[in-house]
Amino acid sequence: MAVSRGGFFLTFEGADGSGKSTQAKRLAATLQANGADVVLTREPGGSIGAEEIRRLLVEGDPGRWSAETEILLFTAARRDHLERTILPALKRGAIVISDRFADSTRVYQGAARADLRTTVDTLHTLMISHEPDLTLVIDIDAKTGLQRGLARNSGEDRFEELGANFQQKLRIGYRALLTDFPDRCLGIDGDNSEDTVAAEILDALKGRLP
Ligand code: TYD
């Protein structure tokens, strides 16, 4: 179910290093400059409790959690994010831009890290049960993404450290998403320059935002 009811829920998705965080920030700034009420948020995180869970997820050894435990932690973080940040903002009519949401779990835990899509979907139906109005999937060459991600050296590289093969699986998973949810998901070519990608995104939003 889409959650907008007056507001608009937009998510950015893509592999690590795809540039989605930069583009989410740019878009939020552009819309704000045009007078829109915009809430820019991210997952894992986006609320006080979810940011605490984030640290458990993105730091430490790549094998720290099993895929099943990860799904539970991501879902717990998402539930808090939804209750405390996303739904209240949409209720007052804001545009919510989230850097990642449930599609990340579908792709990372449901396809790339493990083949657990049924578990992911069941838990999503039980605990989240909301979909964005629009999802922009930034597609990028797997090697470029990995290089960009590791170059940041952010100390949050638990997933980047899973390697090139994993990065390729992510790309395939994200492409499958475009076919699974054609009404909601839109692919954006992330291999172009930052300005070109930003322009493509603004173009894609024409006529879709309230
Ligand atoms: P993020 O902060 O978006 O990292 P980046 O800016 O490098 O893209 O997300 C942290 C990591 O968590 C990222 O590697 C993707 C992963 N992740 C999942 O595996 N499942 C999820 O449901 C989410 C939201 C993120």
Side-chain angles (χ1 to χ4, degrees):
M1 149 176 64
V3 280
S4 34
R5 278 178 223 90
F8 192 85
F9 185 23
L10 171 68
T11 59
F12 276 83
E13 291 283 351
D16 308 82
S18 59
K20 62 178 175 39
S21 309
T22 307
Q23 293 298 337
K25 273 186 211 133
R26 266 184 85 141
L27 178 65
T30 306
L31 296 176
Q32 269 159 351
N34 280 291
D37 177 5
V38 179
V39 173
L40 176 64
T41 184
R42 67 163 180 184
E43 289 207 354
S47 62
I48 292 168
E51 289 290 334
E52 286 183 22
I53 298 172
R54 175 187 177 93
R55 279 202 296 279
L56 297 174
L57 281 160
V58 298
E59 293 173 12
D61 191 79
R64 183 178 186 183
W65 308 111
S66 72
E68 287 83 353
T69 311
E70 255 176 36
I71 295 170
L72 290 166
L73 288 170
F74 279 117
T75 307
R78 180 161 307 127
R79 176 75 196 208
D80 196 62
H81 184 209
L82 191 67
E83 286 175 4
R84 290 168 198 256
T85 304
I86 299 173
L87 292 178
L90 290 173
K91 212 167 158 199
R92 69 161 200 261
I95 297 174
V96 175
I97 300 178
S98 187
D99 181 353
R100 298 194 183 280
F101 188 65
D103 293 320
S104 285
T105 318
R106 291 187 177 109
V107 173
Y108 279 73
Q109 284 68 42
R113 184 149 153 72
D115 187 13
L116 286 171
R117 181 63 187 269
T118 310
T119 308
V120 169
D121 286 347
T122 307
L123 213 53
H124 178 79
T125 306
L126 268 176
M127 286 296 153
I128 309 298
S129 200
H130 287 97
E131 300 298 344
D133 296 295
L134 180 67
T135 299
L136 299 175
V137 181
I138 316 268
D139 184 52
I140 191 183
D141 174 66
K143 247 195 229 138
T144 317
L146 194 65
Q147 277 159 3
R148 281 196 206 164
L150 287 174
R152 274 193 312 224
N153 208 0
S154 62
E156 290 190 338
D157 295 335
R158 197 176 145 249
F159 287 89
E160 277 96 335
E161 280 169 12
L162 293 168
N165 199 13
F166 180 69
Q167 206 69 12
Q168 186 56 30
K169 282 193 195 161
L170 287 178
R171 189 174 203 199
I172 294 167
Y174 272 120
R175 287 190 168 173
L177 212 65
L178 296 173
T179 328
D180 281 0
F181 302 101
D183 295 343
R184 165 172 75 78
C185 293
L186 211 64
I188 302 282
D189 183 355
D191 285 324
N192 292 320
S193 74
E194 192 186 311
D195 287 349
T196 309
V197 177
E200 196 185 330
I201 288 170
L202 283 181
D203 225 36
L205 288 177
K206 272 191 199 128
R208 291 181 196 256
L209 286 177

